[in-house]
Amino acid sequence: MHTTDMKNQLTLSLLHLGSLKGLDNVSLSDLAKENKISKASIFHHFSNREELISHLFAFCSNLAYTQQATISLAGTAEEVLLRAVDHWHEVYTKEPLNWFYRIVESEKLTHREAGVISKTLGEMVDGQSRILLETLSDSLRLDIEELDLAVMTFSATVQNFLSKAMVGNDPDILWQEERFITKFCKLYAIQ
């Protein structure tokens, strides 16, 4: 196997195992066994465990960047916001990025890179929420007087839903999101 291919395979294996067990609980022996190679072979591709973990964060950050898409602003406010949430679900809850975001959420307090990525993801959802809500207000589809408050409310709630969706422990999450968006749009409806 080509060196780059093996590095990516080892990275994806660490990603999967780390999302199940936590990065600190995945040994190099586990990783070697998963890939049917010797533990020494891992050191042919990565000089140490820290380099492997750094490569995982860089690899996944690049993968996440390629998943960015434009959210259509056509339709009612509710349609636009539902489409935005669907887009975020697509990005955050599909494998292998779901594995990555699960690791980021579980490791953000102990791994510096995970903390930075978690903060960046939050800022990205905040920024996209601001653009969506500002556009919906400017186009008179929503009546938002306090944009900062609306953005904080919307973004924090959506991020909470996304965190729950990443972990996959709430079967009613989609219903809850739809209900939130419907009530949010009613709260800011044009009178």
Side-chain angles (χ1 to χ4, degrees), residues 124-149:
M124 185 179 68
V125 173
D126 287 347
Q128 290 173 335
S129 296
R130 176 169 295 282
I131 291 167
L132 289 168
L133 296 180
E134 192 172 281
T135 301
L136 292 171
S137 182
D138 290 348
S139 63
L140 303 177
R141 289 179 274 176
L142 291 178
D143 183 18
I144 302 174
E145 289 183 33
E146 294 291 331
L147 184 63
D148 289 341
L149 180 61

Side-chain angles (χ1 to χ4, degrees), residues 10-179:
L10 288 167
T11 302
L12 287 171
S13 294
L14 177 61
L15 183 61
H16 182 245
L17 293 171
S19 74
L20 297 173
K21 300 167 46 168
L23 283 179
D24 290 340
N25 296 322
V26 179
S27 69
L28 293 179
S29 297
D30 293 335
L31 195 56
K33 182 178 177 183
E34 178 79 12
N35 288 280
K36 298 177 177 69
I37 60 173
S38 69
K39 187 175 166 182
S41 295
I42 295 172
F43 293 108
H44 175 73
H45 303 284
F46 299 99
S47 59
N48 55 42
R49 180 179 176 78
E50 290 74 31
E51 182 184 341
L52 174 60
I53 290 172
S54 288
H55 185 265
L56 177 135
F57 285 118
F59 175 85
C60 292
S61 292
N62 288 335
L63 185 59
Y65 182 75
T66 65
Q67 299 295 314
Q68 290 184 354
T70 302
I71 300 166
S72 170
L73 299 172
T76 66
E78 190 168 342
E79 290 168 342
V80 171
L81 296 178
L82 284 170
R83 208 170 19 255
V85 170
D86 286 346
H87 164 71
W88 291 324
H89 269 280
E90 186 70 27
V91 171
Y92 294 111
T93 62
K94 301 289 186 210
E95 295 171 0
L97 284 176
N98 173 261
W99 299 336
F100 175 57
Y101 295 126
R102 288 176 74 183
I103 288 173
V104 166
E105 283 301 304
S106 66
E107 307 286 335
K108 66 185 174 188
L109 299 177
T110 56
H111 286 89
R112 186 189 68 73
E113 291 159 299
V116 169
I117 291 167
S118 177
K119 183 178 182 220
T120 301
L121 292 172
E123 290 169 350
M124 185 179 68
V125 173
D126 287 347
Q128 290 173 335
S129 296
R130 176 169 295 282
I131 291 167
L132 289 168
L133 296 180
E134 192 172 281
T135 301
L136 292 171
S137 182
D138 290 348
S139 63
L140 303 177
R141 289 179 274 176
L142 291 178
D143 183 18
I144 302 174
E145 289 183 33
E146 294 291 331
L147 184 63
D148 289 341
L149 180 61
V151 169
M152 273 194 304
T153 303
F154 184 79
S155 180
T157 304
V158 167
Q159 288 181 59
N160 184 40
F161 286 136
L162 287 172
S163 291
K164 288 179 181 178
M166 282 186 259
V167 178
N169 63 359
D170 192 343
D172 294 329
I173 196 75
L174 296 176
W175 175 81
Q176 292 172 21
E177 286 172 338
E178 288 178 18
R179 184 170 177 256

